[in-house]
Amino acid sequence: MTHKTIALLGNPNVGKSTVFNALTGMKQHTGNWTGKTVALAKGTCIHKNTEYTFVDLPGTYSLFAHSPEEEVARDYIRSKNADKIVIICDAVCLKRNLILVLQTISLNPNCVVCVNLMDEAAKKGIEIDCSRLSEILNIPVVPTAARKGNGLEHLLTALESNQKSTFAAASDIKDMHRQAEDIEKKVVKSKGRGMARDLKIDRILTGKHTGFPIMLCLLSFILWLTVVGANYPSACLSALFDKLYDVLFNLFGKLNVPVAVSGLLLDGVYKVTAWIVSVMLPPMAIFFPLFTILEDLGYLPRIAFNLDKSFQKACACGKQALTVCMGLGCNAVGVTGCRIIDSPRERLIAVLTNSFTPCNGRFPMLITVTALYFTGGSALFGLKGALILVGLIVFSVLMTLIVSRILSHTVLKGVPSSFTLELPPYRVPQVGKVIIRSVLDRTLFVLGRAVCVAAPAGLILWVLAHIHVGSENLLLILSDFLDPLGQLMGLDGAILLSFILGSPANEIVLPILLMIYTAGGTLANETSGTALLSVLQNNGWTATTAVSFLLLALIHHPCTTTLLTIYKETKSKKWTFLSVLIPALCGTILCMLWNLIARVFAYLTF
């Protein structure tokens, strides 16, 4: 049996991953390129007497490298490591894809063109003469509809061809654009009304007067669905972990495990880890698929288009809008998503400010405090609460823009770079694949990192709660030490300590606070709204305290999971330290300003 290596190349959103998955099935693995943070996927497929290893190159618009992804793709094409290159094109917008085809064959003429999404092109009334395109480029051209599995067998057969392109591609990018336009005129026979329909939808979704309202309404709906939908599975998981706790507790008793050891492992490590899983998993399992569906629909680039001018005014990149959206699910994912920004300067700005976006780990405390103090009841997510939460998110975006502008004029000076923002055609998402991809690539990835830092955090919490100096445990001593700073911020030392100790995961901030307030030795579960409100009021909480808490919950240092991700992405202790310092300072200053305003107002109205 012979062996061949095949590189898959293409623009983003052309179905390259769908082709890769359809060809390789589950025989694939993922890693990182050497010295890069760019993901690498390889998979195998046997056809006739040949074993093919497919290398899924990063999606790129150009081989004129401006980003790590483009560098990886360009270097691999030049390396001649691949026996053949398959260039995946989008049949709906062929001209843009042809530019990458021309660049590729000028570097390595041993290519096959795969014109994918032919079914979508047909729906839009677009007809492509693939035989004519093959004659012009002098290489095999195969039409496919990878979602349905159409044309893949022909693609594998085309890989056996030894034909190399003799097409004289222009060396200048402007001339390549003209060549691509000329080729399109020769092979694209007709265009129907499908494109006109997309344009009409774009006028609404990206319109001056409609774009932002629709975006905010959609955000409100997704947040509502995430929070409401997560309540029941979170409660079920919590009950399951409680039963398992009882089983383990009885088992430890039968084995005569010392009380200190069982307390450390069960009340410390186990309870914190169980709390994080039960609170984090359900909302992430809802939010990430919804986010991925918007991505597959083609709406996320429209969000970036709407916010582009705002980020340009902040001397940042419009693509940062997409990383902000990712941060709503998890800041660690948002930081990883900053790879899409070409400019290193603007990528750093996006990384340093992503924690200004409230992730789903902060939603429980934001929603709980909002409901208790500003919606008049213990219901967690009514209409008024939803509007307040969206308002907080809008405020976080505003702070992101302000801090991005400050960074752009200080430690990260520079002029905002220009970029081509693609508005891909609208597509019906593959819900099954979306769920699998979002759960495996995002939910479990983030949850795994969170659990890794939760276990040692639980151990530290238990130790602090059970080591006494005089009549007080270390939690209360540390709380008293932080109290003067907390009072300046309109808070108290217990709140500040709960945010510090809650660094492994934002979900445990409120339970830690309850543990300190009630002087308990274990992580405290949130009780009923009435009981929780009573605990807070008995410890001096007012509406002013609640606002300060919301401001600090919205803007504070990143969680440990995000911090580890920032270090892995930047490979710099300096930028990792600044990613902690910047939001911590901003949150502290905001709380102090609010406390000052509240005190002055109270004095004037007294």
Side-chain angles (χ1 to χ4, degrees):
M1 180 179 292
T2 58
H3 178 272
K4 290 185 178 181
T5 300
I6 309 298
L8 295 183
L9 180 67
N11 292 173
N13 304 308
V14 297
K16 182 167 61 68
S17 296
T18 305
V19 173
F20 175 75
N21 291 332
L23 291 172
T24 62
M26 299 304 293
K27 299 175 182 178
Q28 51 189 258
H29 66 274
T30 303
N32 273 354
W33 294 92
T34 305
K36 302 283 185 181
T37 56
V38 179
L40 160 68
K42 286 185 177 181
T44 59
C45 168
I46 297 177
H47 182 253
K48 295 182 179 179
N49 293 320
T50 305
E51 181 184 50
Y52 294 102
T53 296
F54 290 94
V55 180
D56 189 13
L57 296 175
T60 179
Y61 293 104
S62 171
L63 295 182
F64 296 132
H66 297 291
S67 69
E69 286 81 3
E70 291 174 357
E71 287 179 10
V72 164
R74 179 202 61 196
D75 293 345
Y76 194 86
I77 298 302
R78 284 179 173 175
S79 70
K80 310 294 184 180
N81 288 332
D83 295 291
K84 195 171 289 291
I85 301 163
V86 176
I87 311 166
I88 316 293
C89 297
D90 186 347
V92 177
C93 41
L94 185 62
K95 182 176 70 174
R96 172 177 51 78
N97 291 254
L98 284 173
I99 296 170
L100 182 62
V101 172
L102 297 178
Q103 291 178 0
T104 304
I105 62 177
S106 66
L107 291 176
N108 190 333
N110 197 10
C111 299
V112 171
V113 172
C114 170
V115 183
N116 193 32
L117 303 170
M118 290 293 289
D119 51 339
E120 293 190 14
K123 291 178 183 178
K124 296 179 184 294
I126 301 173
E127 298 178 8
I128 298 175
D129 188 345
C130 290
S131 298
R132 177 64 175 141
L133 181 59
S134 178
E135 291 175 5
I136 294 172
L137 297 176
N138 193 35
I139 50 176
V141 175
V142 182
T144 64
R147 284 187 178 186
K148 300 178 180 179
N150 297 341
L152 296 179
E153 186 69 25
H154 295 295
L155 179 60
L156 288 170
T157 301
L159 296 179
E160 301 171 6
S161 169
N162 293 320
Q163 188 177 5
K164 294 184 179 181
S165 177
T166 56
F167 183 84
S171 58
D172 180 80
I173 189 64
K174 292 182 180 179
D175 292 333
M176 278 189 179
H177 275 275
R178 295 192 190 98
Q179 282 186 327
E181 188 173 350
D182 291 339
I183 294 172
E184 183 197 38
K185 290 177 181 178
K186 294 175 182 178
V187 301
V188 178
K189 293 185 177 180
S190 64
K191 291 188 178 181
R193 293 177 295 177
M195 300 299 289
R197 183 201 63 186
D198 284 3
L199 289 174
K200 288 180 181 179
I201 297 175
D202 278 342
R203 289 192 188 101
I204 298 173
L205 295 182
T206 62
K208 182 178 180 181
H209 302 292
T210 57
F212 277 93
I214 291 174
M215 191 168 62
L216 292 176
C217 288
L218 188 59
L219 173 63
S220 302
F221 174 73
I222 288 177
L223 292 176
W224 174 82
L225 199 61
T226 299
V227 175
V228 173
N231 283 337
Y232 179 72
S234 285
C236 290
L237 278 174
S238 181
L240 178 64
F241 283 124
D242 285 344
K243 290 181 179 179
L244 183 58
Y245 174 88
D246 293 336
V247 172
L248 292 173
F249 183 83
N250 292 330
L251 178 63
F252 277 36
K254 291 178 180 179
L255 295 175
N256 294 319
V257 176
V259 175
V261 175
S262 63
L264 187 66
L265 295 178
L266 295 180
D267 294 331
V269 175
Y270 176 83
K271 275 202 168 183
V272 172
T273 305
W275 178 270
I276 288 176
V277 173
S278 61
V279 175
M280 280 187 73
L281 181 57
M284 284 198 300
I286 296 172
F287 181 86
F288 284 140
L290 291 175
F291 184 86
T292 310
I293 285 174
L294 290 181
E295 193 175 10
D296 277 16
L297 279 171
Y299 182 63
L300 289 188
R302 272 83 184 174
I303 293 179
F305 178 84
N306 290 335
L307 294 174
D308 178 50
K309 289 184 179 178
S310 299
F311 280 96
Q312 287 288 323
K313 289 179 181 178
C315 295
C317 178
K319 289 182 182 179
Q320 189 174 338
L322 295 177
T323 68
V324 168
C325 293
M326 295 177 190
L328 287 172
C330 174
N331 293 130
V333 175
V335 169
T336 303
C338 293
R339 298 172 184 174
I340 65 174
I341 299 175
D342 299 337
S343 163
R345 181 190 72 86
E346 293 169 343
R347 193 182 310 128
L348 268 176
I349 291 174
V351 167
L352 295 176
T353 58
N354 194 267
S355 60
F356 282 80
T357 305
C359 64
N360 65 46
R362 304 184 217 181
F363 289 158
M365 54 181 167
L366 290 172
I367 293 167
T368 300
V369 174
T370 297
L372 292 178
Y373 278 89
F374 304 109
T375 64
S378 59
L380 289 185
F381 211 64
L383 177 60
K384 187 176 180 181
L387 293 176
I388 292 175
L389 185 57
V390 171
L392 289 171
I393 293 173
V394 171
F395 177 74
S396 74
V397 174
L398 179 61
M399 285 298 300
T400 300
L401 293 170
I402 292 173
V403 175
S404 294
R405 185 172 179 82
I406 292 173
L407 289 172
S408 297
H409 288 82
T410 53
V411 293
L412 290 168
K413 290 182 180 180
V415 178
S417 62
S418 60
F419 70 98
T420 301
L421 181 61
E422 175 199 13
L423 295 182
Y426 295 99
R427 299 191 179 108
V428 178
Q430 296 174 289
V431 178
K433 291 184 178 180
V434 161
I435 292 174
I436 293 173
R437 190 168 85 242
S438 59
V439 169
L440 294 179
D441 293 349
R442 292 176 176 170
T443 303
L444 295 182
F445 166 76
V446 175
L447 189 65
R449 285 194 177 181
V451 168
C452 288
V453 296
L459 187 148
I460 293 171
L461 273 173
W462 190 89
V463 170
L464 291 175
H466 286 80
I467 293 181
H468 288 72
V469 178
S471 60
E472 291 187 336
N473 61 36
L474 289 181
L475 281 179
L476 294 177
I477 293 173
L478 291 173
S479 173
D480 292 340
F481 175 76
L482 293 171
D483 198 63
L485 176 60
Q487 294 297 328
L488 287 174
M489 298 169 63
L491 302 167
D492 59 32
I495 297 174
L496 293 186
L497 182 60
S498 65
F499 274 98
I500 294 171
L501 296 178
S503 295
N506 288 288
E507 289 83 354
I508 62 175
V509 168
L510 202 53
I512 291 173
L513 179 62
L514 295 178
M515 178 168 54
I516 298 173
Y517 279 160
T518 57
T522 61
L523 194 69
N525 290 333
E526 295 178 42
T527 54
S528 67
T530 304
L532 178 56
L533 181 60
S534 177
V535 171
L536 297 180
Q537 289 177 338
N538 289 339
N539 283 274
W541 275 53
T542 63
T544 300
T545 312
V547 173
S548 292
F549 181 88
L550 290 175
L551 287 173
L552 191 61
L554 194 68
I555 300 174
H556 63 275
H557 60 276
C559 69
T560 310
T561 305
T562 304
L563 207 58
L564 291 173
T565 305
I566 291 173
Y567 181 74
K568 287 185 177 181
E569 294 295 312
T570 63
K571 299 291 191 298
S572 167
K573 293 180 181 178
K574 169 189 171 183
W575 297 119
T576 303
F577 173 73
L578 283 177
S579 72
V580 175
L581 182 63
I582 292 170
L585 277 178
C586 289
T588 301
I589 292 171
L590 281 173
C591 288
M592 286 181 173
L593 286 175
W594 161 249
N595 187 42
L596 179 62
I597 292 170
R599 289 190 177 188
V600 170
F601 181 77
Y603 176 79
L604 293 176
T605 56
F606 178 70

